[in-house]
Each structure stands twice: as structure tokens, then as C-alpha cells.
């Protein structure tokens, strides 16, 4: 082809031949002669798009696309699927990756018990490595930069027995890589997260019975060693009862104030309604953001407090005890069933009712959501809990145990619960915090859980669900392609990440995967030699993706377009060699 022709896959050229009825033409030059007409034929490119990418024809074109040809070009030229570098400085499984908000740095956590800080330049290089073994850590598992990239939260697991559930969170200064503070975190897979620039959330777990416990979520000041003599550095946020061996894990914070200016609306009807007010933007770069006119959200239906309209909990608990003593309970309850029944009755009379009007009504609201995995039937996480954090709760100022509580408000209730009906193994927020993506392995459709210590078998196929946090509804059919094989008791977290247009995830099948968020199609499989635990898009350049694996490597992936641009910027050795030879001859 001549220089004016775009670089298209052979399969696409063959589709063009068929469409133009030139399948018998062997010379590609004939297509180039007709290229001016072809490139502007929207009907042709629309047909090719739906056929080549196997997109359902009821899915409209991306709201930011100028033409079908541009969409075709975006999906084959801007996907980060070309491996450009492999980082091998870790000597054990790499578990997690996280970028700074500026995109200049990223951190990696590993079973080798180090957290490494990398500089994201033309070629990625190691800037610093912190060994956490002196603090009695077994390994590092998660990291997150605060909003101004001045601090790094690192979560790890303590050395202990095989069934030990204790962890710790460390805060590292990015100015000189010094350790500022350490906070206990139990269970370790709470991970922890930043609430704002200087305050982070950790967890603690108190056992009440064999399968009943209480999770307490704490707000911690990052500068504890410096400020603890003068002001409070910790404050209790929430205290939530856990039933049937479940616990709160995997906490994250969503900022409600960003919902009305989403980068990408996933509901096609909402896209259509917003299209008249949203200008087109360049889908190939992140330099511009889509502007959306804020709309007031629908008024949410009021939630009834637990047990509303039922027998008062105190009476129910007393009645249960009387029935047990007089032998009126039948069939005979097991010890586990009895503990769960008593805990359910107790929590009904000792729980603060949920916050009214969970959904934000003011686009400028400073309200944030605390999001976490939980459950009610078994120990494997199968529900997503959502709890509103009010502005006055976002500081450690005030009483350490929070606001004074009445005796009937001993526990906090959840403001909203999303049931996944499967084992949750990963969660991630879209950059605008509007959508929550959830990796899960489904239970059998009609399964019944009779023993909380024996959850149902889980599917090998991973479902990637999408929930709109503005409406609290699932908005897309589950994305599929990736797989996992470990059973319930060995199941581990597979981290996913979301950019403006793409979502990526690891998998146990030795691949990372990339999907298009709008079209719900899998675009690329990224090869490793072992389980892929984590993926991370650059927040400022979605054509750059990192993948971390049990094969001890971090792979760097760029789009074909980005590779061409980078190659154009590099000096060309052949030209330099040619110039040197010519000088030698003269």
C-alpha cells in the first residue's frame, strides 16, 4: 500500500474486498486507488465494524466518535496490546500495581515483601525499593497513592500461622521514602484506602461467637507519630455486625460529587439524551474530558429499617429463649443455626437505621461512599455493602469512638447492599467514580446454603459486572473471557482497573484481558507465564497498561499508535551508522 493508506489488519482488507465485490482481485493497489471513496463511506465502515468486532447491532456508536472509520481505527490502533518492556526486579510473585494520579510514578507489591516505586519515563526504571520484612511482614499486597501523590499507602500481611488474618498498613512519604506511620489492619484483605489527602481507612475484627463477629472501620491520620501528642489521630467510623462467618473486606471510597460529569455514560438511552449537550472529544487521547450538563437524580425510594413491621426484637429474642427452654423449637436447631438466629434478633434491636436518601441530590455534594465486600450467608464475600460517609466524619477530630450512641444504636446498618450471587474476587471504580466494576465467580443458579462454612462451588468463568452508583443498578450484561480455577477456600483477589474507554483485568489463565466499556467486547489478551494478579492503566494515558504476574514480572504494554510515536522520537541507529561510514570514506 502507498503511504496514504491506513495500516489495517489483513482480515479487514479481505472484508473490504468482499464488500466491494473484488475478492478475485489480487493487487492491493486497486483498493488504494479507491481508498478516497472507501474511507468516506460510512455505511461500509459501519458494516465492517459490526462484522469484524461482532458487536450487536442494537449498540449505537460511541457517543464521542466522529465517524465509524474513526471508531474502527480507535479499536485496532489505540489498545495497549504491544509488549514494550518486561520489569524483572521482583524475585517472587507480583501481586498489585498502582499508578500515582500524575502518572509519573507507579508502585508494585510482591510476595518478596518489598514495595517498589518506579519512574514512568520513556523507559520505565526502578526509583526506590522498601523491604518490609524488618516490620515482621510476610509480604506486601496492595498500595495506593493519596490524592496529591505525596504519600503512599502500603498494605501487607503479618508473619504468622497459616490461618492468620492480621495485616498492617504503612504510610510512606514520597519526598524522601521514609516510613511515617503504621496501622493495624484486620483482616488483612480489608486492604485499606485513602479517604482524603491525610486520612486513611483501616479495619479491625472482633469475634462475638463461632460464626458471628463485628467489623470496626477506623479513620487514621497518616502523620500519627508527629501529631499524636496534640490531636486525635484515630476515630471510629462504623461498627457493623457480621453473620454466618462473613467479614468486611476490600474497602474503597467513591466520590459522589463527580457523578454528574461522567467520562462515559454506559446507558445507551442516557447517552442519547446527553448527546445534544455533550461535545465530541478525541477518543485517542485523554487531553479533553467530556462535559455533561448535570441533571438531578431520581428521588430514591425510602428504605425500611431492618425488621420494620415485625415483632420487636427484644420480644422475639425472649420468645426464642422461652421456646428453647420449653422444647417448642422444632426441628432441632444446630449450634450454628441457633447462633445465627440469636445474632439476627440481637442486631435488629441494636442497629442504627440506614441513612435516608442514599442517592445524592446535589451535584456539588461532598458526600462519599464507603464500598466494601461483605456477606450474610457464608464466609466467602458475595455482597457489596455501601455506607455513606458524611462531611463531619471525614476528620479524626472529635471523640475517638465517634458520636455518642444510644443503646439501640450499637451497630451501624448498611445504607445499600448489592447481592452478587457468587464469590467476589475483584472490584474497581471508573475514573469518574460513577461505575463500579466487579469480578465474581458465580454460584450454581438454584443453590441452597445450609452451612456457612461450606459455600457453594464456584464457576471457573469470571463474570465482570457493572453497577451504576448513581442509580445502584446493574447497567451492562456481565463481561466474560477470563477464567479462574482455585476453589473457595483458596480463592484470591484478582485486581482490575478501569480507564475512560477500557476495562482490564487479570486472570488465572495466564492472561490479562482488555474490554471496551461502551461496546462490551473483549479487545485483547495479554500473555504471561503464570497467573496475572493485577493490571493498571496510566491515569493520564490509557494507551499504557501494566500487568503483574506470579511469573515475577511486570509487563509494560502500549498501543500500536503509541509504539509508532515512540519509535519516531528515538534516534535511528542505521542513519547514524551510514553517516559514520560516509565520513570514514571521505
Amino acid at each position: 500500500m502507498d503511504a496514504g493508506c491506513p495500516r489495517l489488519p489483513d482480515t479487514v482488507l479481505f472484508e473490504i474486498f468482499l464488500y466491494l465485490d473484488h475478492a478475485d482481485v489480487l493487487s492491493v493497489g486497486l483498493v488504494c486507488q479507491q481508498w478516497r471513496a472507501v474511507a468516506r463511506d460510512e455505511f461500509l465502515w459501519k458494516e465492517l465494524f459490526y462484522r469484524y468486532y461482532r458487536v450487536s447491532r442494537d449498540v449505537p456508536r460511541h457517543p464521542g466518535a466522529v465517524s465509524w472509520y474513526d471508531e474502527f481505527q480507535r479499536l485496532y490502533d489505540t489498545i495497549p496490546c504491544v509488549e514494550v518492556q518486561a520489569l524483572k526486579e521482583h524475585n517472587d510473585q507480583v501481586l498489585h500495581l498502582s499508578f500515582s494520579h500524575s502518572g509519573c510514578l507507579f508502585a508494585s507489591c510482591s510476595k518478596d515483601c518489598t514495595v517498589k516505586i518506579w519512574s514512568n519515563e520513556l523507559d520505565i526504571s526502578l526509583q526506590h525499593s522498601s523491604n518490609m520484612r524488618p516490620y515482621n511482614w510476610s509480604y506486601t499486597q496492595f498500595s495506593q497513592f493519596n490524592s496529591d501523590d505525596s504519600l503512599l499507602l502500603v498494605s501487607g500481611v503479618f508473619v504468622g500461622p497459616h490461618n492468620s488474618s492480621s495485616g498492617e498498613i504503612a504510610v510512606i512519604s514520597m519526598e524522601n521514602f521514609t516510613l511515617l506511620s503504621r496501622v493495624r489492619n484486620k483482616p488483612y484483605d480489608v486492604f485499606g484506602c485513602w479517604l482524603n489527602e491525610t486520612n486513611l481507612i483501616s479495619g479491625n475484627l472482633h469475634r462475638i461467637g463461632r460464626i458471628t463477629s463485628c467489623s470496626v472501620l477506623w479513620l487514621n491520620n497518616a502523620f500519627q507519630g508527629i501529631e499524636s501528642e496534640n490531636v486525635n489521630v484515630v476515630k471510629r467510623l462504623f461498627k457493623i455486625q457480621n453473620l454466618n462467618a462473613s467479614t468486611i473486606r476490600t474497602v474503597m471510597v467513591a466520590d459522589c460529587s463527580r457523578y454528574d460529569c461522567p467520562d462515559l455514560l454506559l446507558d445507551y438511552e442516557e447517552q442519547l439524551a446527553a448527546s445534544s449537550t455533550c461535545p465530541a472529544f478525541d477518543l485517542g487521547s485523554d487531553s479533553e474530558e467530556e462535559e455533561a450538563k448535570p441533571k438531578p437524580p431520581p428521588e430514591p425510594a425510602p428504605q425500611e429499617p431492618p425488621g420494620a413491621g415485625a415483632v420487636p426484637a427484644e420480644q422475639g429474642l425472649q420468645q426464642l429463649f422461652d421456646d428453647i427452654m420449653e422444647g417448642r423449637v422444632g426441628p432441632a436447631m444446630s449450634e450454628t443455626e441457633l447462633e445465627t438466629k440469636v445474632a439476627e434478633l440481637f442486631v435488629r434491636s441494636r442497629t442504627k437505621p440506614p441513612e435516608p436518601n442514599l442517592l445524592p441530590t446535589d451535584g456539588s455534594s461532598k458526600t462519599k461512599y464507603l464500598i466494601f465486600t461483605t456477606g450474610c450467608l457464608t464466609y466467602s464475600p458475595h455482597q457489596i455493602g455501601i455506607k455513606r460517609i458524611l462531611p463531619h466524619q471525614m476528620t479524626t477530630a472529635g471523640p475517638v469512638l465517634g458520636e455518642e450512641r444510644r443503646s439501640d444504636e450499637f451497630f451501624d446498618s448498611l445504607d445499600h447492599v448489592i447481592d452478587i450471587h457468587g464469590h467476589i474476587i475483584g472490584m474497581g471504580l471508573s475514573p469518574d467514580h460513577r461505575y463500579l466494576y466487579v469480578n465474581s465467580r458465580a454460584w450454581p443458579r438454584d443453590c441452597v446454603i445450609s452451612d456457612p462454612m461450606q459455600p457453594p462451588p464456584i464457576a471457573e468463568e469470571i463474570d465482570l459486572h457493572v453497577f451504576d452508583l448513581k442509580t445502584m443498578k446493574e447497567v451492562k450484561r456481565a463481561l466474560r473471557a477470563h477464567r479462574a480455577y482455585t476453589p473457595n477456600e483458596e480463592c484470591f483477589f484478582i485486581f482490575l482497573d478501569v480507564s475512560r474507554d477500557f476495562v482490564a483485568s487479570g486472570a488465572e489463565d495466564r492472561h490479562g484481558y482488555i474490554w471496551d466499556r461502551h461496546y462490551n467486547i473483549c479487545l485483547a489478551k495479554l500473555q504471561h507465564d503464570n497467573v496475572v494478579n493485577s493490571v493498571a492503566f496510566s491515569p493520564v494515558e490509557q494507551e499504557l497498561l501494566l500487568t503483574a504476574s506470579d511469573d515475577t514480572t511486570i509487563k509494560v504494554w502500549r498501543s500500536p499508535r503509541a509504539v509508532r510515536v515512540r519509535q519516531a522520537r528515538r534516534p535511528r541507529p542505521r542513519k547514524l551508522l551510514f553517516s559514520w561510514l560516509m565520513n570514514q570514506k571521505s
Side-chain angles (χ1 to χ4, degrees), residues 330-342:
M333 279 187 174
S334 67
E335 183 180 337
T336 297
E337 291 170 332
L338 180 59
E339 180 180 329
T340 299
K341 184 66 174 177
V342 170

Side-chain angles (χ1 to χ4, degrees), residues 59-64 264-278 290 295 435 476 517-519:
V59 177
R61 194 175 69 193
H62 191 294
L264 176 67
L265 291 169
L266 296 184
D267 183 271
Y268 299 139
E269 292 183 3
E270 196 175 358
Q271 280 181 13
L272 187 61
S275 61
S276 59
T277 59
C278 296
E290 179 182 6
K295 298 187 298 180
Y435 299 98
K476 289 274 190 180
R517 292 177 60 196
H518 175 76
Y519 297 108

Side-chain angles (χ1 to χ4, degrees), residues 259-260 270 294-302 356-362 369 388 434 468-473:
Y259 290 175
D260 287 320
E270 196 175 358
K295 298 187 298 180
E299 198 67 31
N357 300 327
L358 172 66
L359 304 183
T361 56
D362 180 6
Y369 290 158
R388 181 190 296 183
R434 171 74 180 264
D468 187 342
L469 293 178
K470 189 174 181 180
T471 63
M472 297 297 169
K473 296 179 180 178

